[in-house]
Amino acid sequence: MGSRSMNALSDKDKHLRDSKIVMFVMLLVVFSLIAALASAPSRLRVYVPPVLTRGSEMYAGEVPKPTIYSLAYMIFQTLNTWDTDGAADGKKNLEDFRCYITEDFRGKLEDAHVQRLQRGEASGRVRYVSEAHDTGYDEYMVTLISAGKWHVQLDLKLNEYINSTLVKQATVRYPLVLVADDSTPGCNQWGIKIAGFYNTPHRIIIE
């Protein structure tokens, strides 16, 4: 009887010990999952290309080339459009789009605006900007340089008027640099900014 009782107690102790080990392992797993959830991002940014005529496979954080082009065109077109007066609109546009251009590039654009005013090429003028190519985006217009950096070729038509009279007409190629930049999330949900030119903008002739 004594031996049987001792064996029963030993088995019970072993079962309790094994149960404690299992519970300890489960606690480790739970805490590991909690830590993983705490470190996971609360938001994922997914860029959807503007044209989905064909199927598209997308990954969080990956930016399709058509999206980069569309963003560059939208920002740069609006930045350079003067609805009423180039002197006031040029300055206002730089302020309105400050979240979509880097500080360094904004300073250069401000200097260019001052020089334009000094030459008399803004005051009293209205400017309209549009794409030079009827086809719009093409694959060659966007080049991925490195993670979070792109070169974008924008070919734009510029028409400027004074009192409804056409005073300037040009087709200009703007070689833009775009970079991933999350420094102003409150006013730039894209997390992408125009950072400058990778070559000098110049006039072109499109046949």
Side-chain angles (χ1 to χ4, degrees):
M1 266 312 271
S3 177
R4 189 175 300 172
S5 298
M6 289 293 293
N7 289 335
L9 287 173
S10 179
D11 290 340
K12 187 176 180 179
D13 290 341
K14 184 179 179 182
H15 178 70
L16 288 172
R17 184 191 63 197
D18 292 342
S19 297
K20 288 179 179 179
I21 292 173
V22 171
M23 289 178 64
F24 179 74
V25 172
M26 290 180 67
L27 281 173
L28 285 179
V29 172
V30 169
F31 284 126
S32 297
L33 289 173
I34 291 174
L37 286 172
S39 61
S42 58
R43 295 169 53 196
L44 287 176
R45 180 183 283 134
V46 178
Y47 298 88
V48 180
V51 179
L52 288 174
T53 53
R54 294 175 294 180
S56 178
E57 184 176 294
M58 293 169 289
Y59 301 91
E62 180 183 3
V63 192
K65 287 185 176 182
T67 299
I68 289 294
Y69 177 85
S70 297
L71 184 61
Y73 174 64
M74 181 273 293
I75 296 172
F76 207 71
Q77 179 200 35
T78 311
L79 194 63
N80 287 281
T81 296
W82 304 334
D83 292 323
T84 55
D85 181 273
D89 292 339
K91 183 177 181 179
K92 181 177 182 297
N93 290 345
L94 286 170
E95 181 61 30
D96 290 346
F97 281 81
R98 65 181 305 141
C99 294
Y100 294 93
I101 51 181
T102 61
E103 283 298 316
D104 179 65
F105 189 45
R106 182 170 179 265
K108 292 177 180 178
L109 292 178
E110 287 175 341
D111 291 342
H113 179 63
V114 170
Q115 293 172 13
R116 196 180 294 117
L117 287 173
Q118 292 172 348
R119 295 194 300 265
E121 297 177 353
S123 297
R125 296 196 184 198
V126 172
R127 178 197 276 175
Y128 300 105
V129 180
S130 61
E131 288 179 298
H133 302 278
D134 294 334
T135 54
Y137 166 77
D138 205 327
E139 186 76 17
Y140 72 88
M141 294 177 174
V142 179
T143 303
L144 177 64
I145 301 303
S146 61
K149 183 178 181 180
W150 303 264
H151 284 178
V152 180
Q153 175 186 304
L154 282 187
D155 294 340
L156 303 178
K157 291 181 181 177
L158 281 66
N159 292 321
E160 295 181 9
Y161 299 83
I162 296 179
N163 297 325
S164 301
T165 300
L166 182 65
V167 295
K168 180 179 179 181
Q169 188 174 48
T171 302
V172 182
R173 176 162 294 167
Y174 294 98
L176 298 175
V177 179
L178 271 71
V179 296
D181 187 330
D182 267 324
S183 60
T184 53
C187 54
N188 181 350
Q189 298 297 319
W190 295 91
I192 296 171
K193 296 184 179 183
I194 299 179
F197 301 113
Y198 62 88
N199 274 323
T200 303
H202 58 278
R203 292 194 180 197
I204 59 173
I205 298 175
I206 296 180
E207 301 294 338

